[in-house]
Amino acid sequence: MNDTIFLRGLEIECIIGFIEWERRVRQTVVIDLELPVDCRAASRVDEVHATLDYKKVAKRVIAFVSASEFKLVETPIWRSEERRVGKECRS
């Protein structure tokens, strides 16, 4: 059984774009995440420590993206996924 936690509307400023003028200023990107999780264990014990801490996930994505520079808008989310930002974000 797979459940999904949605994090929508993360607004993050970063350097993004491939045209010179775009790379001179920080721009806002808006990221929506869908995190597949198995909520069975958390529902059995009814304890927050057993579920995904999506606040930690959001903070990790924000920290990573805001500290980075990208040419393509697709890159921040894929790089975040490669870094497995949701891994070990239990409460």
Side-chain angles (χ1 to χ4, degrees), residues 50-65:
T51 193
L52 182 71
D53 185 338
Y54 39 91
K55 185 174 182 178
K56 276 186 189 175
V57 173
K59 284 183 174 186
R60 288 175 73 176
V61 171
I62 291 167
F64 169 67
V65 173

Side-chain angles (χ1 to χ4, degrees), residues 3-57:
D3 302 298
T4 304
I5 292 177
F6 298 91
L7 291 176
R8 297 219 164 112
L10 291 178
E11 294 185 15
I12 309 167
E13 289 190 3
C14 66
I15 300 293
I16 192 160
F18 57 90
I19 300 170
E20 184 181 334
W21 68 264
E22 292 177 307
R23 302 189 61 76
R24 286 188 224 141
V25 295
R26 297 177 71 75
Q27 299 181 67
T28 301
V29 294
V30 180
I31 295 178
D32 295 330
L33 296 172
E34 293 183 19
L35 303 164
V37 296
D38 185 351
C39 293
R40 287 179 294 183
S43 67
R44 284 187 198 115
V45 297
D46 197 26
E47 295 290 339
V48 71
H49 73 274
T51 193
L52 182 71
D53 185 338
Y54 39 91
K55 185 174 182 178
K56 276 186 189 175
V57 173

